[in-house]
Amino acid sequence: MSPEMITLLFLIFAIVMFALEKIPLPITAMIVAVGLILTGVLDPSEAFSGFVNNNVLLFIAMFIVGAAFFETGMAQKFGSIITRFAKTERMLIAVIMVITGLMSGLLSNTGTAAVFIPVIIGIAAKSGFARSRLLLPLIFAAAMGGNLSLIGAPGNMIAQSALQDIELSFGFFEYAKVGLPILIIGILYFCFFGYRLLPNRKDEALDDNSVFNQRVDYSNVPKWKQYMSLIVLILTVLAMILEDVIGIPLHVSAWVGALILVATRVITEKAAMKSIDMSTILLFVGSLALATAIDSTGAGATIAHSLIGLLGDTPSPYLLLFLILAISAVMTNFMSNTATTALLVPISLSIASSIGADPRAVLMATVIGGSLAFATPIGMPANTMVYGIGGYKFIDYVKAGAPLVLVSVIVSMVLLPILFPFYP
C-alpha cells in the first residue's frame, strides 16, 4: 500500500474517532502519529517533532501565565467588579460577553470560560436571572474571543505552525481583523435579537460535589501576587505584540513571563506544572504528524484536487471561500474545534497550492470557520461544561447557536475577501 493511501486511511480514522470520541482526542492523535511511524510513512523524528515546536513551547508558557492570573483570583476579581454595573439581563449578557471575549483573546478560551462559569452561577443566584440565560452567551463569547490573537485558541497556532513551514506567518493580532468584528456583531446580535432565543429554565440545585458549586476564597492571597500576575500578563502580551521591534520570539517572551511568576512564587512550581494541559499538547503534536504526512505523501494534493474538481476548472474565489467556511463550520460543531482545524489546515494548504491562492488567506478562512462551534454541546470543551449546569438540551444550542454561525459566516464572507483576498 502506498504512503499516500496509508495517510488517507489514517485521516479517515482520525475524522471518525474525533467525531465519535470513543477514546480521548489526544490519544487518537497520538495513535495516528505512532501508526504513521510503524507503517513507515514518517520516521520518529518527523512524527514527534511537534514536541520541540516553538508553538508548543508557547502553549506551555502561556498555560502557566494564565494559571497565575486565575489562581491568584485576579481574573475573578476583574470579572466580578465589572459585572456589578450590569442592572438588566440584556446589559448583563453584554458585559459577560465583552469581558469573556476580550480575556479569551489573550488567555485560553476554554480556561477563561471555566473560570467565569462559577462567577456567572453566583451572579445568577444573586440577581434572580436564570443560569440558562447567561451561560450560553458566556461560552459563545469565549469561542469568538479566541480569534482575537495568535494565542487565543489552539487552532490559531496550528495554522501558524503550518505557515511557518513555508516561511510565512500571521501577526499577533492579525486574526482580530476578522475575529473582532465577529465578536462585536455577535454581542450586538445577542443584545438586540439573540437573547430571545436563549432558553429560560428554572435553576436546579447544583450537586454539593460539583466543582462549579465550590467557592474559592482568594482573600488570603497577597495583593502583590494578584497585581504581579496582572502586570506580568500585560508585559508578556506587549512583548509578543512588539516581537519584531524587540527581536525576542513569542515563545521566549512567554517563558520569561512564566519563569518570573514561578521564581517570585506568585504561582508554585506544582501549580504551574498542573496548569499545563497535556491533552492540548498531545492533540497538537499528533495533529502536526498527520499534517506532515498529508503534505509529504501528496494526500493533501489529492483531496484538494478532488474538492476543486467539484467546483470546475476555474473555481470562483467566493464560492471556494464559502465552501471552506461551510466545511469548517459544519465539522467543528460535531468534533473538537481544535481537531477540525488540525485536520483541515494541511488540506487547505494543498488547495491554496493547487489554485495558486495566498496560503494565509485560505488558512484564515479555515481557522475562522473552525471557530464557529456554537450549534452543538460538543463543538468546544466549554460547550460541554455548561450543558448540565445550565439545564440545557441539544436543541437549545441549535436555536441559539445556529443563527450565530450564520451571522458569523456572513460577516466572514464580507471581510475575508477584502482583508485576506485569495488572489491579492
Side-chain angles (χ1 to χ4, degrees), residues 64-274:
I64 297 171
V65 173
F69 191 62
F70 293 141
E71 294 224 356
T72 58
M74 198 63 189
Q76 292 84 344
K77 184 177 182 180
F78 182 72
S80 296
I81 290 173
I82 297 179
T83 50
R84 290 176 191 168
F85 296 99
K87 303 301 181 184
T88 66
E89 183 186 67
R90 287 165 67 182
M91 189 184 297
L92 183 56
I93 288 173
V95 171
I96 289 170
M97 294 188 76
V98 169
I99 296 170
T100 307
L102 293 178
M103 286 188 60
S104 68
L106 300 177
L107 304 164
S108 157
N109 50 8
T110 300
T112 300
V115 164
F116 279 111
I117 286 171
V119 175
I120 299 307
I121 290 173
I123 291 172
K126 292 176 184 177
S127 65
F129 300 129
R131 291 198 297 263
S132 60
R133 303 281 294 171
L134 304 178
L135 289 173
L136 283 182
L138 169 75
I139 60 170
F140 292 160
M144 291 186 286
N147 283 330
L148 295 186
S149 76
L150 195 60
I151 59 175
N156 302 8
M157 299 302 299
I158 290 173
Q160 180 78 337
S161 292
L163 281 177
Q164 288 172 344
D165 289 341
I166 55 174
E167 299 183 351
L168 295 173
S169 64
F170 287 126
F172 187 81
F173 280 124
E174 203 156 5
Y175 286 103
K177 291 180 180 179
V178 181
L180 183 58
I182 288 177
L183 175 62
I184 293 171
I185 291 173
I187 293 171
L188 293 174
Y189 163 78
F190 268 104
C191 288
F192 293 103
F193 177 75
Y195 73 93
R196 299 173 186 171
L197 303 175
L198 295 169
N200 190 5
R201 295 200 173 89
K202 182 180 179 181
D203 290 345
E204 299 291 335
L206 292 175
D207 189 311
D208 289 340
N209 295 321
S210 170
V211 65
F212 299 115
N213 202 28
Q214 297 171 10
R215 297 288 182 267
V216 181
D217 181 11
Y218 295 104
S219 61
N220 294 325
V221 178
K223 294 292 183 185
W224 72 267
K225 286 190 175 184
Q226 294 187 331
Y227 290 116
M228 176 70 87
S229 69
L230 176 61
I231 292 168
V232 170
L233 173 61
I234 292 173
L235 292 178
T236 300
V237 172
L238 282 175
M240 291 179 178
I241 296 169
L242 300 173
E243 177 188 18
D244 293 337
V245 177
I246 63 177
I248 301 175
L250 296 179
H251 64 287
V252 176
S253 293
W255 269 104
V256 170
L259 291 172
I260 288 173
L261 291 168
V262 176
T264 57
R265 306 295 290 174
V266 171
I267 184 172
T268 65
E269 179 188 355
K270 184 177 180 180
M273 296 297 289
K274 188 177 178 181

